[in-house]
Amino acid sequence: MPWYHTLGWRGNPFDYRPSADFFVFRDFATDVFKYVDSGAVVSTYGIAGMGKTSLLHHISSNLDRRRHVPVFLDFREISTKDEFLSLIHI
């Protein structure tokens, strides 16, 4: 029996797994979906910890995969044109 059951809890109170929905501002996500559905290329930028990745995972998990193919590119380590071209080369 897990330790938290002995204390009367159903789950481990230290096992915190929030969904992406928890972190996404609904109005903003709705606007981004409109851009994606229009065929626009969408990118994010900003300081670390502001929720860019959470937003992208939320959008990706709610896309119609028959119409859209999400592509995630991480440019943090890119400093030259050649590195950029090698990253996007298919």
Side-chain angles (χ1 to χ4, degrees), residues 20-62:
D21 296 336
F22 180 77
F23 294 102
V24 176
F25 296 107
R26 298 246 180 247
D27 294 340
F28 185 66
T30 301
D31 289 344
V32 173
F33 275 116
K34 288 178 188 175
Y35 285 114
V36 170
D37 282 338
S38 75
V41 174
V42 177
S43 65
T44 61
Y45 67 93
I47 61 172
M50 68 183 302
K52 300 177 298 292
T53 302
S54 295
L55 174 66
L56 293 174
H57 283 292
H58 172 76
I59 291 167
S60 176
S61 67
N62 290 288

Side-chain angles (χ1 to χ4, degrees), residues 71 73 75 78 81-90:
V71 176
L73 302 173
F75 293 104
I78 303 300
K81 179 182 175 183
D82 291 334
E83 290 173 343
F84 171 76
L85 292 174
S86 70
L87 177 68
I88 64 170
H89 179 54
I90 298 176

